[in-house]
Amino acid sequence: MSDLIKSWLPSANAPETEFPLNNLPYGVFSVDDGDLRCGVAIGDRIVDATGLEAAGHLRPDPDADVLDAPYWNDFMELGPAVWEAYRLALTAILAEGASDDVQDLITTFSVPMAQATLHMPFRVAEYTDFYAGRHHATNVGTMFRGAENALPPNWLHIPIGYNGRASSVVVSGTDIRRPWGQLKAPNDDAPRWAPSARFDIELELGAIVGLPSDGPLSVDRAFEHIFGYVLLNDWSARDIQAWEYQPLGPFQAKATATTISPWIVTAAALAPFRIPTPPRETPLLPHLADTSPMNHDIALSVTLNGETIAETNANELYYSAAQQLTHHTSAGCPMRAGDLLGSGTISGPEKHQRGSLLELSWGGKEPLETASGPRSFIEDGDTLALHGAAQGDGYRIGFGPCTGTVLPASDDPLAP
């Protein structure tokens, strides 16, 4: 495990900060309703990467402005060599021992994080959500099919998933309106049109594809194509899902919103925390087999109205993001810079480690006792937040919170 890299900025050296010099995550910010700008989090400040580039001080591409747009996609497409060089340059100017002139420059081209509004850090090209957490898949399968048929026959062989909607992805802090949908309980004679009564979250990790590709990627190449990671909340209307999902899977149940954390934590920042996937019950086919540790040791938690209701770890994922990406491209599917891959709900083996209310309340049969009252599913006004950090020796690599407050359903949006 690497040590804390000390910065001349005192707040970056505090053990409790999520943004030490070891992290340097990328986001988009504005101040006082001004222009959206690319920024880098360091301690309690945001370095104005757009401003530095425009002033000629730190240019990822000497021949073009790639940070003059309100997203990091153009930078991603420059490739891993530029990613590494830019990270090294940032580290050098922010590290302990930087000259007074450099410190004055960064002070000029930075703002206090508390004064900034954060926006979507990248333009989502496409969005795919996987189902790569074994404990979650087992829990949900047990609830609906029984323990003997919990996992689908293909689950131990491929990372299964579905194509979601890039247009529904929003940044942390965006309010979420309870959706309407077609619902049918098992004992109902016919479906009805109503607001979802079983609205839920899913605690996930999102991987961001940084490089385009035109054909199949090996696991090693797929790993190299992943630019970074975000926390991801796949809001899920379980009652809509129960009626619609057979035979083609989720559709409107997952179309309301997907919330991501505001900072892209790079693959480079998480490199010291790489660990193997869990032991395989069934060997994977060679093209999907693990070649090196590609999971990450990232502590994750969920809060409801500020109270922790679940704690788990990204090391529970049965398939790494690289394996998900390899499977995604295996039939020739092209990928784009900015493609987002959701991991699927990350749950652990214990009850308090379950990453959804569906599991925590066992389908509503065992309501979860909270300081806000018993919860089977989300109630109007509830604020749900995902948190995540990899713990190093005297420092932590954090993502910033991934939050959303659920607003009541609107009046019937399709009423004649």
Side-chain angles (χ1 to χ4, degrees), residues 67-395:
L67 301 177
D68 62 347
Y71 43 75
W72 283 85
N73 297 59
D74 295 340
F75 174 84
M76 292 184 214
E77 293 197 52
L78 296 177
V82 174
W83 305 347
E84 181 181 10
Y86 190 71
R87 180 176 173 81
L88 289 173
L90 279 171
T91 301
I93 62 178
L94 292 167
E96 194 174 51
S99 69
D100 290 343
D101 288 345
V102 168
Q103 293 186 34
D104 289 344
L105 176 70
I106 296 302
T107 301
T108 300
F109 285 97
S110 67
V111 299
M113 192 174 296
Q115 296 178 11
T117 299
L118 301 179
H119 304 271
M120 281 289 295
F122 68 105
R123 185 179 56 202
V124 181
E126 306 282 355
Y127 167 50
T128 303
D129 198 33
F130 286 89
Y131 196 44
R134 181 166 185 174
H135 294 294
H136 172 70
T138 300
N139 288 338
V140 172
T142 299
M143 273 185 260
F144 295 113
R145 293 185 298 275
E148 65 282 358
N149 295 308
L151 291 179
N154 59 0
W155 200 93
L156 294 173
H157 300 274
I158 55 173
I160 59 178
Y162 67 92
N163 288 313
R165 291 289 302 174
S167 61
S168 72
V169 181
V170 298
V171 74
S172 175
T174 305
D175 291 338
I176 308 300
R177 181 74 63 180
R178 181 179 298 274
W180 285 71
Q182 191 173 121
L183 319 176
K184 183 181 182 300
N187 296 327
D188 289 347
D189 293 331
R192 57 194 173 88
W193 172 248
S196 170
R198 294 165 69 89
F199 202 44
D200 198 3
I201 61 159
E202 292 191 343
L203 167 60
E204 304 190 22
L205 199 63
I208 301 163
V209 177
L211 290 177
S213 59
D214 291 326
L217 295 172
S218 68
V219 171
D220 288 328
R221 285 189 63 210
F223 188 77
E224 293 170 357
H225 278 230
I226 295 172
F227 178 67
Y229 299 83
V230 290
L231 301 177
L232 186 149
N233 182 354
D234 178 27
W235 301 90
S236 302
R238 302 299 187 186
D239 38 10
I240 298 175
Q241 184 176 358
W243 173 233
E244 75 173 2
Y245 85 102
Q246 296 187 43
L248 295 181
F251 185 38
Q252 293 307 300
K254 305 282 192 169
T256 301
T258 299
T259 302
I260 63 169
S261 52
W263 296 104
I264 303 171
V265 176
T266 63
L270 291 173
F273 306 95
R274 287 171 55 180
I275 56 171
T277 51
R280 301 285 174 202
E281 178 178 323
T282 302
L284 297 175
L285 292 178
H287 74 282
L288 281 176
D290 300 89
T291 60
S292 65
M294 292 184 184
N295 258 10
H296 296 93
D297 180 7
I298 304 171
L300 303 168
S301 63
V302 180
T303 59
L304 186 152
N305 300 329
E307 177 188 3
T308 299
I309 60 171
E311 295 178 289
T312 185
N313 195 294
N315 62 16
E316 296 288 354
L317 287 171
Y318 193 79
Y319 295 101
S320 68
Q323 289 167 319
Q324 295 166 36
L325 181 54
T326 291
H327 182 59
H328 204 324
T329 65
S330 61
C333 176
M335 306 301 292
R336 303 172 183 171
D339 278 347
L340 176 63
L341 309 182
S343 65
T345 306
I346 306 171
S347 296
E350 305 297 329
K351 183 175 181 178
H352 72 280
Q353 297 173 323
R354 297 172 183 172
S356 67
L357 283 164
L358 176 69
E359 296 168 87
L360 287 166
S361 72
W362 206 250
K365 296 177 181 177
E366 303 171 8
L368 181 70
E369 295 298 328
T370 78
S372 302
R375 289 291 187 276
S376 294
F377 295 95
I378 302 168
E379 296 190 3
D380 293 345
D382 283 347
T383 296
L384 280 297
L386 314 183
H387 308 268
Q391 184 64 54
D393 186 7
Y395 70 95

